[in-house]
Amino acid sequence: MKLRPLVLAALLLTTPALHVAYADNPVPMANVKPSIDVRISGAVKAPQSFDVAALKKLTARNSGPMDVICASGATVGKVNNFRGARLTDVLDAVGLNLDGHKDGRRMVVVARATDGYVVTFSWNELYNTAIGKDVLVAWEKDGKPLGVREGQLLLISGQDTKTGPRHVRNLISIEVLRMK
Ligand SMILES: Nc1nc2c(c(=O)[nH]1)N[C@H]1C(S)=C(S)[C@@H](COP(=O)(O)O)O[C@H]1N2
Ligand SMILES: [Mo]
């Protein structure tokens, strides 16, 4: 009986944190479609899919410790290390369709998840700023394969101020668009 107010207090203290973490991700676990590979398409030599085994043939990179920070400012995750391949290494393995040295700058790189979540990068951001060095297609978090909610592959952009938005769980495709 005496415990009840304590239990209530504990619930009140923990519930807002959970609410903040998942307020913008209300998808029930049963509806999560885990990604098993990522397809690279668009302005590339030939579309190609990479599963974890194929990605592991590229140079592996480590993010080091980073927080996942939602656009709201809330820290929704603390990670010691994401391990994966650099997105530019993946794109270079496929080969971008670059028609002259001015062509990259008109390209937009679109990352998409199985639930329709989409984020964008520019070619310049990836190849011509420090941000690109820390954009990883990751298969491992803290020494373990990713969980069901994340799929087998996720994309992260470690230099972002808010790292939540471009932390793409269940990464399924990367499309390279050449703007007219
Ligand atoms: N596939 C997918 N990835 C997503 C989202 C989403 O809705 N779908 N939400 C984003 C948001 S808003 C945030 S803050 C971070 C938080 O990571 P978490 O959902 O693992 O806590 O993931 C991002 N990645
Ligand atoms: Mo978010």
Side-chain angles (χ1 to χ4, degrees):
M1 278 297 173
K2 271 205 171 150
L3 271 177
R4 273 206 182 157
L6 271 179
V7 169
L8 200 65
L11 273 174
L12 282 170
L13 282 170
T14 55
T15 305
L18 287 173
H19 180 75
V20 166
Y22 295 108
D24 49 0
N25 289 312
V27 181
M29 274 300 288
N31 295 348
V32 172
K33 283 182 240 144
S35 59
I36 57 164
D37 58 12
V38 57
R39 184 154 183 86
I40 318 298
S41 69
V44 294
K45 302 284 181 224
Q48 199 177 320
S49 292
F50 292 79
D51 59 10
V52 174
L55 287 168
K56 282 183 173 173
K57 290 180 182 153
L58 305 175
T59 306
R61 318 272 180 177
N62 296 301
S63 70
M66 58 172 282
D67 290 351
V68 180
I69 305 166
C70 181
S72 68
T75 298
V76 295
K78 286 194 169 286
V79 178
N80 279 319
N81 191 49
F82 283 113
R83 188 168 172 81
R86 209 175 259 168
L87 177 55
T88 52
D89 287 346
V90 179
L91 293 173
D92 291 345
V94 179
L96 295 177
N97 264 344
L98 291 174
D99 187 14
H101 88 284
K102 292 184 182 172
D103 222 28
R105 60 194 70 171
R106 62 169 70 237
M107 290 191 182
V108 174
V109 176
V110 182
R112 193 179 295 270
T114 55
D115 61 350
Y117 189 71
V118 172
V119 305
T120 60
F121 294 89
S122 67
W123 177 93
N124 259 297
E125 191 181 11
L126 292 173
Y127 285 94
N128 197 23
T129 78
I131 295 171
K133 299 232 175 305
D134 290 314
V135 178
L136 304 183
V137 177
W139 57 77
E140 200 177 288
K141 182 168 92 175
D142 296 341
K144 287 185 232 121
L146 301 172
V148 178
R149 189 170 165 276
E150 295 156 324
Q152 289 187 25
L153 297 171
L154 69 73
L155 176 139
I156 49 134
S157 179
Q159 292 301 320
D160 291 5
T161 307
K162 303 278 175 69
T163 45
R166 293 200 291 191
H167 163 270
V168 181
R169 291 180 271 102
N170 291 300
L171 179 69
I172 188 78
S173 70
I174 304 283
E175 218 182 328
V176 183
L177 305 180
R178 187 182 183 283
M179 305 309 291
K180 288 249 190 281

